[in-house]
Amino acid sequence: RKEVEQDPGPFNVPEGATVAFNCTYSNSASQSFFWYRQDCRKEPKLLMSVYSSGNEDGRFTAQLNRASQYISLLIRDSKLSDSATYLCVVLIRDTGRRALTFGSGTRLQVQP
Amino acid sequence: GAVVSQHPSWVICKSGTSVKIECRSLDFQATTMFWYRQFPKQSLMLMATSNEGSKATYEQGVEKDKFLINHASLTLSTLTVTSAHPEDSSFYICSAQQPGPATRVQYFGPGTRLTVT
């Protein structure tokens, strides 16, 4: 079983739509949580960190449920420029090792 | 945010040759750098953690003699793919981590696309 699981999509949505991505993680040593965005053939870029209290950055809202080991990302009022792959990323810290573990990503295609 | 560069951005080499990829933190000192590999339509997979002045820590299944890592300074880590084969063709991405309280944030380089023919 993968340590970080995401629905690969693709999610095809019209401009202006609201779309939600889900992610689950299995390692109880998961310490920090992030959403990254990766455009085709580019490096991943940090979109936002995710906190248990939930956090919002403009049109993006992230939620973390530690009890369910579940992370979500909500994008409101989708723009064409939001088309990308969204990576759920977990920082795992155990036995002296600290490493980012990436989900395989959820692809979003926003259509005009 | 901090800037990380990689060189080259893409490289084509013949099977059996070696390729060196450089990762530099341009405006900060990185005590730790990470090397990832990403195959098409797959997730980034951590290959190794590179600590300045000490040996790299490799992830399970990654051959240390094939993927040589050198982190000789606080701003430079290199990955050498030795005796490259077509199955080593991939997107290699490094990231660098600042020391201090913000240690959880990794800044990624733009990646190096390696094609072995």
Coordinates of all heavy atoms in Angstrom, one line a residue, chain A residues 25-103:
Chain A
Y25 N -3.2 9.3 4.1 CA -1.8 8.8 4.3 C -1.9 7.7 5.4 O -2.8 7.6 6.2 CB -0.9 10.0 4.8 CG -1.4 10.6 6.1 CD1 -0.9 10.3 7.3 CD2 -2.3 11.7 6.1 CE1 -1.3 10.9 8.5 CE2 -2.8 12.3 7.2 CZ -2.2 11.9 8.4 OH -2.7 12.5 9.6
S26 N -0.8 6.9 5.4 CA -0.9 5.7 6.2 C 0.1 5.6 7.3 O 0.0 4.9 8.3 CB -0.8 4.4 5.4 OG 0.5 4.4 4.7
N27 N 1.2 6.5 7.2 CA 2.2 6.4 8.2 C 1.9 7.3 9.4 O 1.8 8.5 9.3 CB 3.6 6.8 7.5 CG 4.8 6.4 8.4 OD1 4.8 6.6 9.6 ND2 5.8 6.0 7.7
S28 N 1.9 6.7 10.6 CA 1.5 7.4 11.8 C 2.6 8.4 12.2 O 2.4 9.2 13.0 CB 1.2 6.5 12.9 OG 2.3 5.6 13.1
A29 N 3.8 8.2 11.6 CA 4.9 9.1 11.9 C 4.9 10.4 11.0 O 5.9 11.1 10.9 CB 6.3 8.4 11.7
S30 N 3.8 10.6 10.3 CA 3.6 11.7 9.4 C 3.5 13.0 10.3 O 2.7 13.0 11.3 CB 2.4 11.6 8.6 OG 2.5 10.5 7.7
Q31 N 4.4 14.0 10.0 CA 4.5 15.1 10.9 C 3.9 16.4 10.3 O 3.3 17.1 11.1 CB 6.0 15.3 11.2 CG 6.4 16.2 12.2 CD 7.9 16.3 12.4 OE1 8.6 16.5 11.5 NE2 8.4 16.1 13.6
S32 N 4.2 16.6 9.1 CA 3.7 17.8 8.4 C 3.1 17.5 7.1 O 3.4 16.4 6.5 CB 4.9 18.8 8.2 OG 5.5 19.0 9.4
F33 N 2.3 18.4 6.6 CA 1.5 18.1 5.4 C 1.4 19.3 4.5 O 1.3 20.4 4.9 CB 0.0 17.7 5.9 CG 0.0 16.6 6.9 CD1 0.1 17.0 8.3 CD2 0.0 15.3 6.6 CE1 0.2 16.0 9.3 CE2 0.1 14.3 7.6 CZ 0.1 14.7 8.9
F34 N 1.5 19.0 3.2 CA 1.5 20.0 2.2 C 0.8 19.7 1.0 O 0.6 18.5 0.7 CB 3.0 20.3 1.8 CG 4.0 20.4 2.9 CD1 4.6 19.3 3.5 CD2 4.2 21.7 3.5 CE1 5.5 19.4 4.5 CE2 5.1 21.8 4.5 CZ 5.8 20.7 5.0
W35 N 0.3 20.7 0.2 CA -0.1 20.5 -1.1 C 0.9 21.2 -2.0 O 1.3 22.4 -1.8 CB -1.5 21.1 -1.4 CG -2.6 20.2 -0.8 CD1 -3.3 20.4 0.3 CD2 -3.1 19.1 -1.5 NE1 -4.2 19.4 0.5 CE2 -4.1 18.6 -0.6 CE3 -2.9 18.4 -2.7 CZ2 -4.9 17.4 -0.9 CZ3 -3.6 17.3 -3.0 CH2 -4.6 16.8 -2.1
Y36 N 1.4 20.5 -3.0 CA 2.3 21.1 -4.0 C 1.6 21.1 -5.4 O 0.7 20.2 -5.6 CB 3.6 20.3 -4.2 CG 4.7 20.6 -3.2 CD1 4.5 20.1 -1.9 CD2 5.8 21.2 -3.6 CE1 5.6 20.4 -1.0 CE2 6.8 21.5 -2.7 CZ 6.7 21.1 -1.4 OH 7.7 21.3 -0.5
R37 N 2.0 21.9 -6.3 CA 1.4 22.0 -7.6 C 2.6 21.7 -8.6 O 3.7 22.2 -8.4 CB 0.9 23.4 -7.8 CG 0.5 23.6 -9.3 CD 0.3 25.1 -9.5 NE 0.3 25.3 -11.0 CZ -0.7 25.9 -11.6 NH1 -1.7 26.4 -10.9 NH2 -0.7 25.9 -12.9
Q38 N 2.3 20.8 -9.6 CA 3.4 20.5 -10.5 C 2.8 20.7 -11.9 O 1.8 20.0 -12.3 CB 3.9 19.1 -10.4 CG 5.1 18.8 -11.3 CD 5.7 17.5 -11.0 OE1 5.1 16.5 -10.5 NE2 7.0 17.3 -11.4
D39 N 3.4 21.6 -12.7 CA 3.0 21.7 -14.1 C 3.8 20.7 -14.9 O 4.9 20.2 -14.5 CB 3.3 23.2 -14.6 CG 2.3 24.1 -13.9 OD1 1.2 24.2 -14.2 OD2 2.8 24.9 -13.0
C40 N 3.3 20.5 -16.1 CA 3.9 19.4 -17.0 C 5.4 19.7 -17.2 O 5.7 20.8 -17.6 CB 3.1 19.4 -18.3 SG 3.5 18.0 -19.3
R41 N 6.2 18.7 -16.9 CA 7.6 18.7 -17.2 C 8.3 19.8 -16.3 O 9.4 20.3 -16.7 CB 7.9 18.9 -18.6 CG 7.3 17.8 -19.5 CD 7.5 18.1 -21.0 NE 8.8 17.7 -21.5 CZ 9.1 16.5 -21.9 NH1 8.1 15.5 -21.8 NH2 10.3 16.2 -22.3
K42 N 7.7 20.2 -15.2 CA 8.4 21.2 -14.3 C 8.5 20.6 -12.9 O 8.0 19.5 -12.6 CB 7.5 22.4 -14.2 CG 7.2 23.1 -15.6 CD 8.4 24.0 -16.0 CE 8.0 24.8 -17.2 NZ 9.1 25.7 -17.6
E43 N 9.2 21.3 -12.1 CA 9.4 20.9 -10.7 C 8.2 21.2 -9.9 O 7.4 22.1 -10.3 CB 10.6 21.6 -10.1 CG 10.5 23.0 -9.6 CD 10.6 24.0 -10.8 OE1 10.5 23.6 -11.9 OE2 10.9 25.2 -10.4
P44 N 7.9 20.5 -8.8 CA 6.8 20.8 -7.9 C 7.0 22.2 -7.2 O 8.2 22.5 -6.9 CB 6.7 19.7 -6.9 CG 8.0 19.0 -7.1 CD 8.7 19.4 -8.3
K45 N 6.0 22.9 -7.0 CA 6.0 24.1 -6.3 C 5.0 24.1 -5.1 O 3.9 23.7 -5.3 CB 5.7 25.3 -7.2 CG 6.7 25.5 -8.3 CD 6.7 26.8 -9.0 CE 7.9 26.8 -9.9 NZ 8.2 27.8 -10.6
L46 N 5.5 24.6 -4.0 CA 4.7 24.5 -2.8 C 3.5 25.4 -3.0 O 3.6 26.6 -3.3 CB 5.5 25.0 -1.6 CG 4.7 25.1 -0.2 CD1 4.3 23.7 0.2 CD2 5.6 25.7 0.8
L47 N 2.3 24.9 -2.8 CA 1.0 25.6 -2.9 C 0.7 26.1 -1.5 O 0.4 27.3 -1.3 CB -0.1 24.7 -3.4 CG -1.4 25.3 -3.7 CD1 -1.4 26.4 -4.7 CD2 -2.4 24.2 -4.1
M48 N 0.6 25.2 -0.5 CA 0.3 25.6 0.8 C 0.6 24.4 1.8 O 0.6 23.3 1.4 CB -1.1 26.1 1.0 CG -2.2 25.0 0.6 SD -3.8 25.8 0.3 CE -4.2 26.6 1.8
S49 N 0.9 24.8 3.0 CA 1.0 23.8 4.1 C -0.5 23.5 4.6 O -1.4 24.3 4.3 CB 1.8 24.4 5.3 OG 3.1 24.7 4.8
V50 N -0.6 22.4 5.3 CA -2.0 22.1 5.7 C -1.9 21.9 7.2 O -1.0 21.2 7.8 CB -2.4 20.7 5.1 CG1 -3.9 20.5 5.4 CG2 -2.2 20.7 3.6
Y51 N -2.9 22.5 7.9 CA -2.9 22.5 9.4 C -4.2 21.9 9.8 O -5.2 21.9 9.1 CB -2.7 23.9 10.0 CG -1.5 24.5 9.5 CD1 -1.5 25.6 8.6 CD2 -0.2 24.1 9.9 CE1 -0.4 26.3 8.2 CE2 0.9 24.7 9.4 CZ 0.8 25.8 8.6 OH 2.0 26.4 8.1
S52 N -4.2 21.3 11.1 CA -5.4 20.7 11.6 C -6.6 21.6 11.7 O -7.8 21.3 11.6 CB -5.1 20.1 13.0 OG -4.1 19.1 12.9
S53 N -6.2 22.9 12.0 CA -7.3 23.9 12.1 C -7.9 24.3 10.8 O -8.9 25.1 10.7 CB -6.7 25.1 12.8 OG -5.6 25.6 12.1
G54 N -7.3 23.8 9.7 CA -7.7 24.3 8.4 C -7.1 25.6 8.0 O -7.0 26.5 8.9
N55 N -6.8 25.8 6.8 CA -6.2 27.1 6.4 C -6.6 27.4 5.0 O -6.9 26.6 4.2 CB -4.7 27.1 6.6 CG -4.0 25.9 6.0 OD1 -4.2 24.8 6.4 ND2 -3.1 26.2 5.1
E56 N -6.6 28.7 4.8 CA -7.1 29.2 3.5 C -6.1 30.2 2.9 O -5.5 31.0 3.6 CB -8.5 29.9 3.8 CG -9.2 30.4 2.5 CD -10.6 30.9 2.9 OE1 -11.4 30.3 3.6 OE2 -10.9 32.1 2.5
D57 N -6.0 30.1 1.6 CA -5.1 31.1 0.9 C -5.8 31.5 -0.4 O -5.8 30.8 -1.4 CB -3.7 30.5 0.6 CG -2.8 31.4 -0.1 OD1 -3.2 32.6 -0.3 OD2 -1.7 31.0 -0.4
G58 N -6.5 32.6 -0.3 CA -7.3 33.0 -1.5 C -8.4 32.0 -1.8 O -9.2 31.7 -1.0
R59 N -8.3 31.5 -3.0 CA -9.3 30.5 -3.5 C -9.1 29.1 -3.0 O -9.9 28.2 -3.3 CB -9.4 30.6 -5.0 CG -9.8 31.9 -5.6 CD -9.8 31.9 -7.1 NE -8.5 31.7 -7.7 CZ -8.1 30.6 -8.3 NH1 -8.9 29.6 -8.4 NH2 -6.9 30.5 -8.9
F60 N -8.0 28.9 -2.3 CA -7.6 27.6 -1.9 C -7.8 27.4 -0.4 O -7.4 28.2 0.4 CB -6.1 27.3 -2.2 CG -5.8 27.5 -3.7 CD1 -5.5 28.7 -4.3 CD2 -5.8 26.3 -4.5 CE1 -5.3 28.8 -5.6 CE2 -5.5 26.5 -5.9 CZ -5.2 27.7 -6.4
T61 N -8.4 26.2 -0.1 CA -8.6 25.9 1.3 C -8.1 24.5 1.5 O -8.5 23.6 0.8 CB -10.1 26.0 1.7 OG1 -10.6 27.3 1.5 CG2 -10.3 25.6 3.2
A62 N -7.3 24.3 2.6 CA -6.8 22.9 2.9 C -7.3 22.5 4.3 O -7.4 23.4 5.2 CB -5.3 23.0 2.8
Q63 N -7.5 21.2 4.4 CA -8.0 20.7 5.7 C -7.2 19.4 6.0 O -6.8 18.7 5.1 CB -9.5 20.3 5.6 CG -10.4 21.4 5.5 CD -10.8 22.0 6.9 OE1 -10.3 21.5 7.9 NE2 -11.5 23.1 6.9
L64 N -7.0 19.2 7.3 CA -6.3 18.0 7.7 C -7.1 17.3 8.8 O -7.5 18.0 9.8 CB -4.9 18.4 8.3 CG -4.2 17.3 9.1 CD1 -3.8 16.1 8.3 CD2 -2.9 17.9 9.7
N65 N -7.3 16.1 8.7 CA -8.0 15.3 9.8 C -7.0 14.2 10.2 O -6.9 13.2 9.5 CB -9.3 14.7 9.2 CG -10.1 14.0 10.3 OD1 -9.5 13.3 11.2 ND2 -11.4 14.1 10.3
R66 N -6.3 14.5 11.3 CA -5.3 13.5 11.8 C -5.9 12.2 12.2 O -5.3 11.1 12.0 CB -4.5 14.1 12.9 CG -3.5 15.2 12.5 CD -2.7 15.6 13.7 NE -1.7 16.6 13.4 CZ -0.5 16.5 13.0 NH1 0.0 15.2 12.8 NH2 0.3 17.5 12.7
A67 N -7.1 12.2 12.8 CA -7.7 11.0 13.3 C -8.0 10.1 12.1 O -7.8 8.8 12.2 CB -9.0 11.3 14.0
S68 N -8.5 10.6 11.0 CA -8.8 9.8 9.8 C -7.6 9.7 8.8 O -7.7 9.0 7.8 CB -10.0 10.5 9.0 OG -11.1 10.6 9.9
Q69 N -6.6 10.5 9.1 CA -5.4 10.5 8.3 C -5.8 10.9 6.8 O -5.5 10.2 5.9 CB -4.6 9.1 8.3 CG -4.1 8.8 9.7 CD -3.2 7.6 9.8 OE1 -2.6 7.4 10.8 NE2 -3.1 6.8 8.8
Y70 N -6.4 12.0 6.8 CA -7.1 12.5 5.6 C -6.8 14.0 5.3 O -6.8 14.8 6.3 CB -8.6 12.2 5.7 CG -9.5 12.8 4.7 CD1 -9.9 12.0 3.6 CD2 -10.0 14.1 4.9 CE1 -10.7 12.6 2.7 CE2 -10.9 14.6 3.9 CZ -11.2 13.8 2.8 OH -12.1 14.3 1.9
I71 N -6.4 14.3 4.1 CA -6.1 15.7 3.8 C -6.9 16.1 2.6 O -7.2 15.3 1.7 CB -4.6 15.8 3.4 CG1 -3.7 15.2 4.5 CG2 -4.2 17.3 3.1 CD1 -2.3 14.9 4.0
S72 N -7.4 17.3 2.5 CA -8.2 17.8 1.4 C -7.7 19.1 0.9 O -7.1 19.9 1.6 CB -9.6 17.8 1.8 OG -9.9 18.8 2.7
L73 N -8.0 19.4 -0.3 CA -7.8 20.7 -0.9 C -9.0 21.1 -1.7 O -9.5 20.3 -2.5 CB -6.6 20.6 -1.9 CG -6.2 21.9 -2.6 CD1 -5.7 23.0 -1.7 CD2 -5.2 21.7 -3.7
L74 N -9.5 22.3 -1.5 CA -10.7 22.8 -2.2 C -10.2 24.0 -3.0 O -9.6 24.9 -2.4 CB -11.7 23.2 -1.2 CG -13.0 23.7 -1.7 CD1 -13.9 22.5 -2.2 CD2 -13.8 24.5 -0.7
I75 N -10.6 24.0 -4.2 CA -10.3 25.2 -5.1 C -11.6 25.8 -5.5 O -12.4 25.1 -6.1 CB -9.5 24.8 -6.3 CG1 -8.2 24.0 -5.9 CG2 -9.1 26.0 -7.2 CD1 -7.4 23.5 -7.1
R76 N -11.8 27.1 -5.2 CA -13.0 27.7 -5.6 C -12.8 28.6 -6.8 O -11.6 29.0 -7.1 CB -13.5 28.6 -4.5 CG -14.1 27.9 -3.3 CD -14.6 28.9 -2.2 NE -13.5 29.7 -1.7 CZ -12.6 29.4 -0.8 NH1 -12.7 28.2 -0.2 NH2 -11.7 30.2 -0.4
D77 N -13.8 28.8 -7.6 CA -13.8 29.7 -8.8 C -12.5 29.4 -9.6 O -11.6 30.2 -9.9 CB -13.7 31.2 -8.3 CG -13.8 32.2 -9.4 OD1 -14.3 31.8 -10.5 OD2 -13.2 33.3 -9.3
S78 N -12.5 28.2 -10.1 CA -11.4 27.6 -10.9 C -11.0 28.5 -12.0 O -11.9 29.0 -12.8 CB -11.7 26.2 -11.4 OG -11.9 25.3 -10.4
K79 N -9.7 28.7 -12.2 CA -9.2 29.5 -13.4 C -8.5 28.5 -14.3 O -8.0 27.4 -13.9 CB -8.2 30.5 -12.9 CG -8.6 31.4 -11.7 CD -9.6 32.4 -12.1 CE -9.9 33.3 -11.0 NZ -11.2 34.0 -11.2
L80 N -8.4 28.9 -15.6 CA -7.6 28.1 -16.6 C -6.2 27.8 -16.1 O -5.7 26.7 -16.3 CB -7.6 28.8 -17.9 CG -8.9 29.0 -18.6 CD1 -8.7 29.8 -19.9 CD2 -9.5 27.6 -19.0
S81 N -5.6 28.8 -15.4 CA -4.3 28.7 -14.9 C -4.1 27.7 -13.8 O -3.0 27.4 -13.4 CB -3.7 30.1 -14.5 OG -4.6 30.6 -13.5
D82 N -5.2 27.2 -13.2 CA -5.2 26.2 -12.1 C -4.9 24.8 -12.7 O -4.6 23.9 -11.9 CB -6.5 26.2 -11.4 CG -6.7 27.5 -10.6 OD1 -5.8 28.2 -10.2 OD2 -7.9 27.8 -10.3
S83 N -5.0 24.7 -14.0 CA -4.7 23.4 -14.6 C -3.3 22.9 -14.3 O -2.3 23.6 -14.7 CB -4.9 23.4 -16.1 OG -6.3 23.8 -16.5
A84 N -3.2 21.8 -13.7 CA -1.9 21.3 -13.2 C -2.1 19.9 -12.5 O -3.3 19.5 -12.4 CB -1.2 22.2 -12.3
T85 N -1.1 19.4 -12.0 CA -1.2 18.2 -11.2 C -1.0 18.6 -9.7 O 0.0 19.3 -9.5 CB -0.2 17.1 -11.6 OG1 -0.5 16.7 -12.9 CG2 -0.3 15.9 -10.6
Y86 N -1.8 18.2 -8.8 CA -1.7 18.6 -7.4 C -1.2 17.4 -6.6 O -1.8 16.4 -6.6 CB -3.1 19.1 -7.0 CG -3.4 20.5 -7.6 CD1 -4.0 20.5 -8.9 CD2 -3.1 21.7 -7.0 CE1 -4.2 21.7 -9.5 CE2 -3.4 22.9 -7.6 CZ -3.9 22.9 -8.8 OH -4.1 24.1 -9.5
L87 N -0.1 17.7 -5.9 CA 0.5 16.6 -5.2 C 0.3 16.8 -3.7 O 0.5 17.8 -3.1 CB 2.0 16.7 -5.5 CG 2.5 16.6 -6.9 CD1 4.0 16.9 -7.0 CD2 2.1 15.3 -7.5
C88 N -0.2 15.7 -3.1 CA -0.3 15.6 -1.7 C 1.0 15.2 -1.1 O 1.5 14.1 -1.6 CB -1.5 14.7 -1.3 SG -1.8 14.4 0.4
V89 N 1.6 15.9 -0.2 CA 2.9 15.6 0.3 C 2.9 15.5 1.8 O 2.4 16.4 2.5 CB 3.9 16.6 -0.2 CG1 5.3 16.3 0.2 CG2 3.8 16.8 -1.7
V90 N 3.6 14.5 2.3 CA 3.6 14.3 3.8 C 5.1 14.2 4.2 O 5.9 13.6 3.6 CB 2.9 13.0 4.1 CG1 3.1 12.6 5.6 CG2 1.4 13.1 3.8
L91 N 5.4 14.9 5.3 CA 6.8 14.8 5.9 C 6.7 13.8 6.9 O 6.0 13.9 7.9 CB 7.2 16.2 6.5 CG 8.6 16.2 7.1 CD1 9.7 16.0 6.1 CD2 8.8 17.5 7.9
I92 N 7.5 12.7 6.7 CA 7.5 11.6 7.6 C 8.8 11.6 8.4 O 9.9 11.8 7.8 CB 7.4 10.3 6.9 CG1 6.0 10.2 6.2 CG2 7.6 9.1 7.8 CD1 5.8 9.0 5.3
R93 N 8.7 11.5 9.7 CA 9.9 11.6 10.6 C 9.9 10.3 11.4 O 9.1 10.2 12.3 CB 9.9 12.8 11.4 CG 11.2 13.0 12.2 CD 11.2 14.3 13.0 NE 12.5 14.5 13.6 CZ 12.8 15.5 14.4 NH1 11.9 16.4 14.6 NH2 14.0 15.6 14.9
D94 N 10.8 9.4 11.2 CA 10.9 8.2 12.0 C 12.4 7.7 12.0 O 13.1 7.9 11.1 CB 9.9 7.1 11.6 CG 10.1 6.7 10.2 OD1 11.2 7.0 9.6 OD2 9.2 6.0 9.6
T95 N 12.8 7.1 13.1 CA 14.1 6.6 13.3 C 15.2 7.5 12.7 O 16.0 7.0 11.9 CB 14.3 5.1 12.7 OG1 13.9 5.2 11.3 CG2 13.4 4.2 13.5
G96 N 15.2 8.7 13.0 CA 16.2 9.7 12.6 C 16.1 10.1 11.2 O 16.9 10.9 10.7
R97 N 15.2 9.6 10.4 CA 15.0 9.9 9.0 C 13.8 10.9 8.9 O 12.8 10.8 9.5 CB 14.7 8.7 8.2 CG 14.3 8.9 6.8 CD 14.1 7.5 6.2 NE 13.5 7.6 4.8 CZ 12.2 7.6 4.6 NH1 11.3 7.6 5.5 NH2 11.8 7.7 3.3
R98 N 14.1 11.9 8.1 CA 13.0 12.9 7.9 C 12.9 13.1 6.4 O 13.9 13.5 5.7 CB 13.4 14.2 8.5 CG 12.4 15.4 8.3 CD 13.0 16.6 8.8 NE 12.3 17.1 9.9 CZ 12.8 18.0 10.8 NH1 14.0 18.4 10.6 NH2 12.1 18.4 11.8
A99 N 11.8 12.7 5.8 CA 11.7 12.7 4.3 C 10.3 13.1 3.9 O 9.3 12.7 4.5 CB 12.1 11.3 3.8
L100 N 10.2 13.8 2.8 CA 9.0 14.1 2.1 C 8.5 12.9 1.3 O 9.3 12.3 0.6 CB 9.1 15.3 1.2 CG 9.2 16.7 1.8 CD1 9.3 17.8 0.7 CD2 8.1 17.0 2.7
T101 N 7.3 12.5 1.4 CA 6.7 11.4 0.6 C 5.6 12.0 -0.2 O 4.7 12.7 0.3 CB 6.2 10.3 1.5 OG1 7.3 9.8 2.3 CG2 5.6 9.2 0.7
F102 N 5.7 11.8 -1.5 CA 4.7 12.4 -2.4 C 3.6 11.4 -2.8 O 3.9 10.2 -3.1 CB 5.5 12.8 -3.7 CG 6.3 14.0 -3.5 CD1 7.5 14.0 -2.9 CD2 5.9 15.3 -4.0 CE1 8.3 15.1 -2.7 CE2 6.7 16.4 -3.8 CZ 7.9 16.3 -3.2
G103 N 2.4 11.9 -2.9 CA 1.4 11.1 -3.6 C 1.7 11.2 -5.1 O 2.5 12.0 -5.6

